[in-house]
Amino acid sequence: FMFHRLHIQMTFFSALIIGIVIFIMTTACNFIAENSTGQNAWNTFQNNAISCISHLETQSIISSDWILQAEKNYDISMDIRDNGNSLYLKKLQTDSLDETIFRKAEEISAASYALDLSNPGAVSKLTKRSFFQMKDFYVSTALIPKSHGTVSMIILYSLDSVKHRILLQRLAFSGAAFLAILALSICSWFFTGRMITPLEKSRQEQTEFIAAASHELRSPLAVILSGISAMKKADPKEQEHFLSVIEKEGTRMSLLVNDMLSLSNADNHSWKMHPVPCELDTLVLDTYEKYEPLMQEHHMNFSVKLPEEELPLCSCDPERISQVLGILLDNAISYVPEHGKIRITLTQNAKGFCLSVIDNGPGIPDSAKTSVFRRFYRADSARNNKQHFGLGLCIAYEIITLHQGTITVQDTPGGGSTFLISLYTPAS
């Protein structure tokens, strides 16, 4: 539940940040687009109005067909007066604008731009014109001198079409922003889920580790407490036996705690290796000599196989590699029956060095080969060797990983298990 809530919170936070960024970018882009649309409409209106004014300047007769065609082509409305008299055509137009709009434009032209259309006598020999914007219209006014007097002209362009285009742009930008936020929010959901999965898995592994460690520690602790209780009631002669049991279980607990500390160091990345040029064949022989008495004690056929040619030095931590070999040999002793065979081999290939610990024990099922390096895992749950807690192979895996090598397990031909260690660090 905690990780599910964290997943939702992270997705919401990501979506919020994404939404704010997209909103700012969309608003900026929409602002630029609206300005561009308005500016283009204004420039187009000015060009069309100038074209109409220029036509009237050069023509002595005003054609009704031209007026109708210009209003249709340029989407404008015109009020043209000859010496202050409205053209008869205007009265015939059923779709013309309200006369009050033209009069309002005339008032603004006179008050703000000093172009009084109601005073034709004020015009000079040159055409006077102005361009401005009212609430819902672009406006152009002009006084054009003629031989017979003056022609005044008011041109209106409704901004309804411009507002409609801007509305469509806003809807398009809003829709694109919504789809982008939705798509990125969905991506955030899956992305944060992938981010949380390792944390959730790590938390689960920690919980399982603590539970398993508690279980393993409880067993020797129960024996120790039971032994102490028995010692209080036992005769002095029997106390020696209980002391031996307590010491043995205390040693078991110490080994378990040391293994747990090693894994904790590996998890915290504080477990450092100290690689030095090492003769692996010498290291294997030393390990063989150290374990030979123990193998004889367990009636094992123990052997070692080394290459005949001289090997180059390998850059590794000899103590840690020796520890890994010891873990594998202890593991083999635990599962191989008496008079079984255990062998260590060392070979060299093009990539580096290969160490093998081979036994002819019961082997490991294919389904368990990928799990044997997990913490507190036993390939055979029925065997409960009290000296092994299922941490050894995990520690070996961490050590080899720190050496940037690999450790795998496969079947031994004829039965048994073979653990292969590959080291890719030849000494320079």
Side-chain angles (χ1 to χ4, degrees):
F1 177 76
M2 178 185 71
F3 286 100
H4 179 68
R5 185 173 61 182
L6 178 62
H7 189 189
I8 294 175
Q9 291 175 345
M10 290 181 65
T11 302
F12 175 77
F13 180 75
S14 299
L16 179 63
I17 297 299
I18 291 170
I20 292 174
V21 172
I22 291 179
F23 174 78
I24 293 173
M25 294 177 62
T26 303
T27 302
C29 292
N30 186 60
F31 177 77
I32 295 172
E34 287 186 11
N35 284 345
S36 177
T37 300
Q39 189 62 43
N40 290 338
W42 174 251
N43 292 337
T44 300
F45 168 73
Q46 284 185 312
N47 293 332
N48 293 339
I50 291 173
S51 177
C52 292
I53 295 170
S54 298
H55 179 81
L56 291 184
E57 287 177 332
T58 59
Q59 299 297 320
S60 58
I61 299 175
I62 301 175
S63 168
S64 60
D65 290 338
W66 174 84
I67 295 175
L68 293 173
Q69 191 65 37
E71 287 187 333
K72 180 180 179 182
N73 291 343
Y74 300 145
D75 194 21
I76 58 177
S77 296
M78 292 188 290
D79 180 43
I80 304 173
R81 294 174 180 266
D82 188 1
N83 292 316
N85 299 317
S86 180
L87 295 182
Y88 181 72
L89 173 66
K90 195 67 181 175
K91 299 177 182 179
L92 299 178
Q93 291 178 277
T94 57
D95 58 346
S96 61
L97 293 174
D98 190 348
E99 186 69 20
T100 57
I101 300 175
F102 287 101
R103 302 289 69 85
K104 180 65 175 177
E106 184 177 349
E107 292 174 6
I108 295 175
S109 176
S112 301
Y113 299 93
L115 185 53
D116 188 359
L117 302 182
S118 63
N119 186 13
V123 72
S124 64
K125 293 182 179 180
L126 298 176
T127 299
K128 289 184 177 181
R129 64 193 182 191
S130 66
F131 298 93
F132 56 90
Q133 180 179 347
M134 292 199 313
K135 182 179 179 181
D136 296 316
F137 296 91
Y138 289 147
V139 183
S140 175
T141 59
L143 275 176
I144 305 169
K146 292 289 185 179
S147 58
H148 61 277
T150 59
V151 173
S152 62
M153 185 178 196
I154 301 175
I155 303 175
L156 298 178
Y157 174 75
S158 176
L159 295 179
D160 289 344
S161 60
V162 177
K163 292 179 180 179
H164 182 68
R165 288 199 298 271
I166 289 176
L167 177 61
L168 292 179
Q169 285 179 352
R170 289 178 179 177
L171 291 175
F173 276 110
S174 299
F178 174 76
L179 292 176
I181 292 173
L182 179 62
L184 291 174
S185 297
I186 294 173
C187 291
S188 297
W189 173 262
F190 289 103
F191 181 72
T192 53
R194 290 176 65 88
M195 290 178 61
I196 291 175
T197 298
L199 298 177
E200 189 173 5
K201 183 179 179 181
S202 176
R203 176 65 179 271
Q204 183 179 357
E205 289 178 350
Q206 289 179 3
T207 302
E208 293 175 354
F209 179 79
I210 292 172
S214 300
H215 175 76
E216 295 290 350
L217 286 170
R218 187 166 55 243
S219 178
L221 183 60
V223 174
I224 291 173
L225 293 176
S226 176
I228 293 174
S229 177
M231 280 182 62
K232 294 178 180 179
K233 302 176 182 179
D235 297 332
K237 294 181 180 179
E238 296 177 343
Q239 289 181 355
E240 187 68 27
H241 167 71
F242 291 114
L243 283 174
S244 175
V245 172
I246 292 171
E247 181 181 10
K248 182 178 179 182
E249 294 302 315
T251 301
R252 285 187 64 223
M253 289 185 67
S254 176
L255 292 173
L256 176 58
V257 170
N258 288 336
D259 287 348
M260 291 171 63
L261 287 174
S262 296
L263 291 175
S264 176
N265 290 333
D267 290 340
N268 295 330
H269 304 287
S270 59
W271 198 2
K272 303 297 182 183
M273 298 292 106
H274 303 284
V276 296
C278 171
E279 296 179 351
L280 285 181
D281 49 359
T282 301
L283 185 148
V284 170
L285 285 174
D286 290 342
T287 303
Y288 173 79
E289 292 175 357
K290 182 170 65 175
Y291 273 83
E292 187 177 18
L294 184 62
M295 295 293 180
Q296 290 180 356
E297 216 176 284
H298 286 78
H299 309 288
M300 297 290 179
N301 184 353
F302 188 39
S303 62
V304 62
K305 182 180 180 182
L306 301 174
E308 296 181 0
E309 67 276 7
E310 184 178 356
L311 295 178
L313 299 177
C314 175
S315 179
C316 65
D317 187 330
E319 292 186 3
R320 295 301 182 189
I321 298 301
S322 179
Q323 180 183 359
V324 171
L325 291 176
I327 290 171
L328 297 179
L329 291 173
D330 286 335
N331 189 71
I333 292 173
S334 299
Y335 291 98
V336 176
E338 286 190 0
H339 306 293
K341 296 180 180 180
I342 300 174
R343 182 172 61 175
I344 308 175
T345 67
L346 170 63
T347 58
Q348 182 187 13
N349 53 38
K351 295 182 179 180
F353 306 95
C354 182
L355 287 162
S356 304
V357 175
I358 307 168
D359 66 60
N360 66 341
I364 299 174
D366 292 338
S367 59
K369 284 184 172 63
T370 57
S371 305
V372 293
F373 299 105
R374 292 207 322 253
R375 300 175 185 188
F376 292 108
Y377 180 86
R378 290 188 178 91
D380 185 0
S381 58
R383 290 181 61 91
N384 190 17
N385 190 315
K386 293 186 177 182
Q387 299 304 319
H388 293 274
F389 305 98
L391 294 178
L393 291 179
C394 180
I395 293 173
Y397 177 85
E398 296 291 347
I399 292 174
I400 298 302
T401 300
L402 285 174
H403 279 82
Q404 298 181 351
T406 60
I407 179 170
T408 57
V409 61
Q410 62 185 32
D411 294 331
T412 302
S417 300
T418 299
F419 285 87
L420 300 174
I421 302 169
S422 297
L423 297 175
Y424 308 111
T425 53
S428 56

